[in-house]
Amino acid sequence: RVDPYLKASRWKKRPVVERHLGRSPGLYFPGFPIQLYGLDVFHGPDFKIPRGGRFAKVVTVHDLVEFRNEYNSAAFIEKARLDMQQMIEKSRPDLIIAVSEFTKRELIAYFPKTADRIRVVPHGADHLSHGDRGSTRSAVAREKIILFVGTIEKRKNVGRVVQAFLSSRLPPVGYRPKTVGKRGSNAATELARAKNA
């Protein structure tokens, strides 16, 4: 059984979670040593896991873009590094999932003691292997959309995604790029870069 939990800072998204799951999620505070009862494993897909608790803990680290000075202020970077360090040292994940070899290398560079706990598990799902394979594939083929899902902002590199699409070897007719996501602080610049690619 999988029980959903929302960290306190995401609690305002509870109605969306309830609508999709048909039930209410639990609440937890990552920075406090709390006990969640009845769990075997806690997986935090958003950099955070609770402190304490008699269960295995897994955390996913998608990237360390918060540490990059071309996107963030010095104060923001310092806080991000401290938050990550406290998560590693005080919440003590048993396993750290990195979504790419690049993210794994960055994690080890910043936090060498995590090396033996990191496993690379790329994003993605083999959704074509379920149900009627033929009909699913034909539906995907009819769509012919190259989809970007995420906030439209500089650190997501949307302009480069469009440039890659335009320089790819896909047939020139029948494919189109599409973005899905809210606009970030520098969305206009990224959209202009994509438009002029």
Side-chain angles (χ1 to χ4, degrees):
R1 192 180 87 181
V2 176
D3 293 320
Y5 285 86
L6 283 177
K7 60 183 182 182
S9 62
R10 303 282 186 179
W11 191 243
K12 63 183 179 181
K13 297 185 180 294
R14 180 175 54 85
V16 177
V17 174
E18 288 180 341
R19 189 162 60 248
H20 283 282
L21 297 180
R23 58 189 172 123
S24 185
L27 173 69
Y28 82 100
F29 297 83
F32 293 90
I34 61 171
Q35 175 70 61
L36 297 172
Y37 295 98
L39 300 183
D40 296 313
V41 179
F42 186 100
H43 176 213
D46 191 20
F47 297 90
K48 303 291 185 182
I49 52 176
R51 297 182 191 176
R54 296 181 180 179
F55 44 82
K57 298 177 200 172
V58 180
V59 65
T60 295
V61 177
H62 302 274
D63 57 57
L64 295 180
V65 71
E66 293 182 329
F67 295 7
R68 305 287 291 274
N69 56 24
E70 62 263 46
Y71 304 120
N72 307 295
S73 67
F76 183 92
I77 292 170
E78 180 62 26
K79 183 180 185 307
R81 288 183 182 177
L82 180 61
D83 286 348
M84 184 72 76
Q85 184 175 343
Q86 288 183 339
M87 184 275 291
I88 290 169
E89 294 179 355
K90 296 184 178 181
S91 296
R92 299 177 182 174
D94 298 285
L95 178 67
I96 300 172
I97 294 175
V99 302
S100 67
E101 291 290 343
F102 177 79
T103 298
K104 176 182 178 179
R105 289 194 298 271
E106 284 203 314
L107 272 168
I108 293 173
Y110 284 107
F111 309 103
K113 293 181 180 179
T114 64
D116 63 341
R117 287 180 281 164
I118 301 173
R119 299 293 180 273
V120 175
V121 181
H123 283 144
D126 187 12
H127 57 279
L128 297 182
S129 66
H130 303 287
D132 185 340
R133 296 173 66 93
S135 63
T136 304
R137 284 179 172 163
S138 63
V140 172
R142 285 197 302 271
E143 290 295 327
K144 294 184 179 178
I145 291 173
I146 308 301
L147 183 65
F148 170 87
V149 181
T151 305
I152 301 171
E153 57 187 345
K154 182 179 178 181
R155 71 188 184 96
K156 300 292 186 178
N157 222 352
V158 182
R160 184 66 59 85
V161 170
V162 176
Q163 289 170 3
F165 166 76
L166 293 175
S167 64
S168 73
R169 295 183 179 180
L170 290 171
V173 178
Y175 287 84
R176 62 188 177 95
K178 189 169 183 62
T179 60
V180 177
K182 66 181 181 180
R183 297 192 174 198
S185 58
N186 39 36
T189 304
E190 275 301 288
L191 290 172
R193 186 157 75 105
K195 185 178 180 181
N196 296 324

